[in-house]
Amino acid sequence: MEQKKTCRWCEKPFEITDDDLAFYEKVSPVFQGKKYLIPSPTLCPQCRQQRRLSWRNERKLYTRASSVSGKEIVSIYSPDKPLRVLEAKEWWADTSDPKAAGRNYSTTKSFFEQFRELFLAAPLMNLVGAENTESAYCNLSAYNKGSYLLIESSSNENSHYSYWLQESMACIDCSFSNKCQYGYELENCNGCYNLSYAKDCNNCSDSYFLENCTNCKNCFGCVNLRHKEYYIFNTFVGKEAYEKFMQEQQPGSAKWVTSCSEKMKAHALKFPRKANHIVDSEDCSGEYILHCKNCEEVYHAIDSQHCKFAEHIIRNTRFCMDVSTIGLDTELIYEAINTAISAYSNAFTVQCWSSSYMYYCYSCFNSKNCFGCVGLKNAEYCILNKQYTKAEYEKLVPRIIELMQKNGEWGEFFPSSLSPFGYNGTVAQEYFPLTREQTKSNNRFNWSDYESPPPQVEKIISKDQMARLPDNIKDIPDEIVNWALTCEISGKPYRIIKQELQFYREHHIPVPRRHPDQRHKDRLALRNPRRLWERQCDCDNTSHNHHTVETQRVASLPNVATRCPVTFQTSYAPDRPEIVFCEKCYLKEVY
């Protein structure tokens, strides 16, 4: 029977459907023939997501001493945290025994209190990654070569400062892009070559400032084009005029980039957008969905089925709810983050890979049938990292669940207050930003005041001095790699590495005036929010010319008699300035 509930955090109403209740029952564990039902959530979907994301630090990297060798390592855990942190190869070594931190379950303490005590003693990996070569400052990544500050990225070469970059080469400051070469400032682009300042493009090359273009070459400042060449701001000019135009441009100038970016923003608003970035999918709602089926309120999903309230789910993810960043043949997961690679039937887990029947576990690999464990590998029948027999495990876990039920812990994800990360260093801050005062006032979240020491450089270019930094890349001295620049927005210092400078010079790109974290934040702002609104198609059926639609919207007097009647769920809020079409009208406009 459907339930109407009020979120105990934000106090907003939300609903639990019959299908939701059926899922909770399906994922609930069974011990000695008795099912221990996972109750319906006490938080709304957005607050549940916020709580999960407060356990995920992706890009705040620190140096600290290994708890085993004492050597300096790069870590997601700041050195002021009293944790046992090991380099990945030390963690995987046979000499690292996470069961040495095991302890008996106590009936006099809450489960989460005991979990916190274990967390402080168990070995943790400094970074999450595998088989990276000469790519020390990469997290949540694998098979990268000669790369720097890649996050959640794999199989890239000579690429830097990017997020969700896959199978690409020589790309800088790119997000959610795949199989690209020599790309700069790309967002949601695939199969592109020598493309700069673009979003939502496929198989485009040798172009600047494109949006939602496919198979285009030698184009500048264009929107919604298909199979075109030698276009400038959506007007065909021919090869000779295009080449002359490009010879007059100054792509190596920071001022030129700023000016062109502003022109492109204004130009792009004249053209319609499709209601959603949903492609080749059936019965799906959300945004950035590809090859999916029966997915509800999911954001960034590829090759997944029967999922709900999810973000970043990829490659054969099935029957999952309230999950973040999971995939690779993963099934039946509830309230989990970073759980992947053939994971099955897990609930309330963080970073558990190739593991099954795991409950309330953190950073466990190749394990199954464990409860309340941290940092295990190749383990089974463990509780709080202590080894049990199968019979002992199946007898004790129900007792723990019953006590958790009495304490109101069973069915709740890990409290954010237990997270080893400050809220301001997690993904939660990116999607649910809070001030230090806000986190302190409700006691739900941690806040970190720790700041890494400033870089050891010859000199720091202050915010005032940044205005005197040469505007054009051709005038930037070699010595810049020995300096620290100051971000024009955040005031944080940052470095230019040698490989990066070489890329800028070869591709006539100005030195960035913003810290990599700020650039990442700027790219995230290009993506639509993780929220849906209902609105009506903006197309006037008397014409599929975007200028007609634009005039109507500016005048705020759409022709009700001829306007397309289709309504849809979209991530474009009704008060946003973009023109938004239903899929049918959009395809008529573009093709």
Side-chain angles (χ1 to χ4, degrees):
M1 183 176 179
E2 292 190 4
Q3 301 176 2
K4 295 186 181 297
K5 305 188 75 171
T6 299
C7 177
R8 63 182 174 85
W9 277 14
C10 69
E11 299 183 347
K12 293 180 181 178
F14 67 100
E15 292 186 355
I16 305 296
T17 69
D18 291 340
D19 288 341
D20 296 342
L21 294 172
F23 177 84
Y24 304 144
E25 181 176 5
K26 188 174 182 180
V27 78
S28 296
V30 176
F31 296 100
Q32 299 177 329
K34 180 180 178 181
K35 179 168 287 190
Y36 289 82
L37 285 174
I38 293 175
S40 60
T42 60
L43 302 183
C44 69
Q46 289 73 32
C47 289
R48 300 198 299 265
Q49 179 189 157
Q50 181 183 20
R51 180 173 59 181
R52 284 195 308 276
L53 295 182
S54 69
W55 280 80
R56 184 174 174 86
N57 171 20
E58 293 181 338
R59 57 188 304 108
K60 296 292 185 183
L61 304 183
Y62 310 90
T63 56
R64 63 180 294 158
S66 163
S67 298
V68 170
S69 64
K71 73 174 184 178
E72 187 176 88
I73 58 176
V74 179
S75 173
I76 56 175
Y77 305 102
S78 58
D80 61 323
K81 299 293 190 301
L83 301 171
R84 183 171 168 77
V85 182
L86 285 61
E87 192 174 24
K89 63 182 180 180
E90 297 172 335
W91 187 90
W92 281 106
D94 293 337
T95 53
S96 171
D97 182 13
K99 293 180 184 178
R103 68 247 356 257
N104 293 320
Y105 177 77
S106 171
T107 59
T108 62
K109 297 180 181 179
S110 73
F111 168 76
F112 287 135
E113 182 181 359
Q114 295 176 72
F115 181 85
R116 180 183 182 278
E117 293 172 353
L118 172 64
F119 201 97
L120 294 173
L124 302 170
M125 272 195 291
N126 61 324
L127 298 171
V128 181
E131 304 298 331
N132 291 308
T133 305
E134 297 180 357
S135 304
Y137 284 81
C138 295
N139 186 38
L140 298 160
S141 60
Y143 308 107
N144 297 298
K145 297 180 181 179
S147 297
Y148 182 75
L149 276 179
L150 293 187
I151 307 298
E152 197 65 65
S153 301
S154 60
S155 303
N156 304 291
E157 187 171 350
N158 299 328
S159 296
H160 317 297
Y161 307 111
S162 295
Y163 182 77
W164 274 92
L165 183 69
Q166 310 295 328
E167 299 181 57
S168 296
M169 185 178 75
C171 290
I172 293 182
D173 281 324
C174 298
S175 298
F176 298 99
S177 295
N178 181 49
K179 296 183 178 179
C180 293
Q181 293 185 45
Y182 306 110
Y184 183 69
E185 285 288 1
L186 304 183
E187 153 63 24
N188 197 35
C189 292
N190 296 281
C192 295
Y193 178 88
N194 195 29
L195 180 65
S196 299
Y197 314 107
K199 62 177 292 191
D200 302 331
C201 290
N202 297 290
N203 303 315
C204 294
S205 62
D206 302 311
S207 300
Y208 291 84
F209 299 102
L210 301 187
E211 184 172 330
N212 193 32
C213 292
T214 299
N215 292 323
C216 293
K217 182 179 181 180
N218 294 314
C219 290
F220 188 100
C222 294
V223 182
N224 288 350
L225 294 188
R226 302 291 185 269
H227 312 288
K228 303 297 183 183
E229 187 172 12
Y230 303 126
Y231 275 66
I232 300 174
F233 289 109
N234 283 64
T235 299
F236 176 72
V237 297
K239 180 179 179 180
E240 183 177 347
Y242 183 85
E243 291 179 347
K244 180 181 178 183
F245 170 81
M246 289 305 302
Q247 289 173 359
E248 296 170 349
Q249 304 308 303
Q250 295 182 311
S253 162
K255 292 179 181 178
W256 177 88
V257 171
T258 300
S259 175
C260 291
S261 297
E262 293 302 317
K263 290 178 183 177
M264 181 60 183
K265 287 179 184 178
H267 178 68
L269 287 175
K270 300 175 183 178
F271 297 84
R273 274 87 165 154
K274 192 173 74 162
N276 303 97
H277 295 84
I278 300 179
V279 178
D280 191 25
S281 297
E282 180 182 346
D283 295 328
C284 292
S285 66
E287 189 61 290
Y288 302 106
I289 300 172
L290 177 66
H291 306 318
C292 293
K293 182 178 180 180
N294 296 329
C295 288
E296 183 179 351
E297 287 227 34
V298 299
Y299 299 88
H300 187 215
I302 303 172
D303 297 322
S304 299
Q305 300 180 10
H306 308 289
C307 295
K308 186 174 182 180
F309 303 136
E311 321 90 48
H312 303 323
I313 57 174
I314 61 170
R315 290 175 57 184
N316 205 23
T317 299
R318 305 177 303 278
F319 300 102
C320 297
M321 184 183 294
D322 287 309
V323 292
S324 306
T325 318
I326 68 167
L328 305 175
D329 301 310
T330 290
E331 182 174 353
L332 207 61
I333 310 295
Y334 175 61
E335 273 282 30
I337 186 166
N338 197 11
T339 293
I341 310 179
S342 301
Y344 179 80
S345 194
N346 296 329
F348 318 109
T349 58
V350 178
Q351 196 179 302
C352 289
W353 293 11
S354 303
S355 298
S356 302
Y357 302 104
M358 307 288 282
Y359 304 93
Y360 291 100
C361 291
Y362 182 98
S363 192
C364 294
F365 294 77
N366 307 323
S367 299
K368 59 182 178 180
N369 296 306
C370 293
F371 196 102
C373 293
V374 178
L376 293 183
K377 51 182 182 285
N378 306 313
E380 186 173 11
Y381 301 125
C382 292
I383 301 171
L384 294 176
N385 282 36
K386 182 179 178 179
Q387 184 68 61
Y388 292 87
T389 66
K390 178 181 179 182
E392 291 169 337
Y393 178 85
E394 293 188 345
K395 182 179 180 180
L396 179 55
V397 169
R399 290 176 55 200
I400 296 174
I401 293 175
E402 289 168 359
L403 288 171
M404 292 179 70
Q405 290 172 332
K406 292 180 180 178
N407 294 336
E409 295 175 316
W410 178 243
E412 298 290 347
F413 191 74
F414 297 113
S416 297
S417 58
L418 299 186
S419 172
F421 313 115
Y423 186 91
N424 48 322
T426 67
V427 182
Q429 180 71 344
E430 295 180 357
Y431 292 95
F432 304 92
L434 296 175
T435 64
R436 186 182 191 279
E437 290 69 27
Q438 287 173 320
T439 62
K440 296 296 182 181
S441 65
N442 58 34
N443 294 318
R444 292 178 188 142
F445 306 107
N446 300 323
W447 186 270
S448 176
D449 292 316
Y450 178 83
E451 292 290 341
S452 295
Q456 298 297 311
V457 293
E458 290 181 358
K459 63 178 178 179
I460 296 179
I461 308 301
S462 69
K463 212 168 183 179
D464 291 338
Q465 292 172 327
M466 286 291 289
R468 298 194 294 274
L469 193 72
D471 173 68
N472 201 299
I473 185 61
K474 64 182 177 63
D475 300 317
I476 294 292
D478 294 343
E479 291 76 19
I480 195 172
V481 297
N482 300 320
W483 305 343
L485 308 183
T486 302
C487 176
E488 64 182 6
I489 301 297
S490 66
K492 294 173 60 177
Y494 63 101
R495 298 282 302 275
I496 301 295
I497 63 174
K498 184 177 179 180
Q499 306 94 305
E500 178 187 4
L501 179 61
Q502 181 180 348
F503 179 93
Y504 296 151
R505 285 172 169 170
E506 291 176 354
H507 296 274
H508 309 289
I509 291 170
V511 167
R513 267 59 177 174
R514 298 185 177 186
H515 189 283
D517 287 348
Q518 183 62 45
R519 280 142 42 199
H520 171 69
K521 185 177 180 180
D522 293 342
R523 289 194 303 276
L524 283 182
L526 297 176
R527 291 174 75 80
N528 287 9
R530 294 175 178 175
R531 184 181 171 186
L532 298 176
W533 290 266
E534 184 169 309
R535 59 184 290 174
Q536 184 179 345
C537 178
D538 287 322
C539 181
D540 185 338
N541 283 324
T542 60
S543 171
H544 278 286
N545 184 300
H546 63 264
H547 294 294
T548 302
V549 180
E550 179 192 14
T551 301
Q552 290 178 355
R553 293 207 61 183
V554 170
S556 298
L557 293 171
N559 189 331
V560 177
T562 58
R563 185 179 177 188
C564 175
V566 172
T567 59
F568 42 71
Q569 292 280 307
T570 178
S571 56
Y572 291 99
D575 59 350
R576 284 179 57 157
E578 293 91 347
I579 304 161
V580 183
F581 280 10
C582 67
E583 183 170 9
K584 182 178 179 181
C585 290
Y586 178 81
L587 293 177
K588 286 182 180 179
E589 173 76 16
V590 172
Y591 292 101

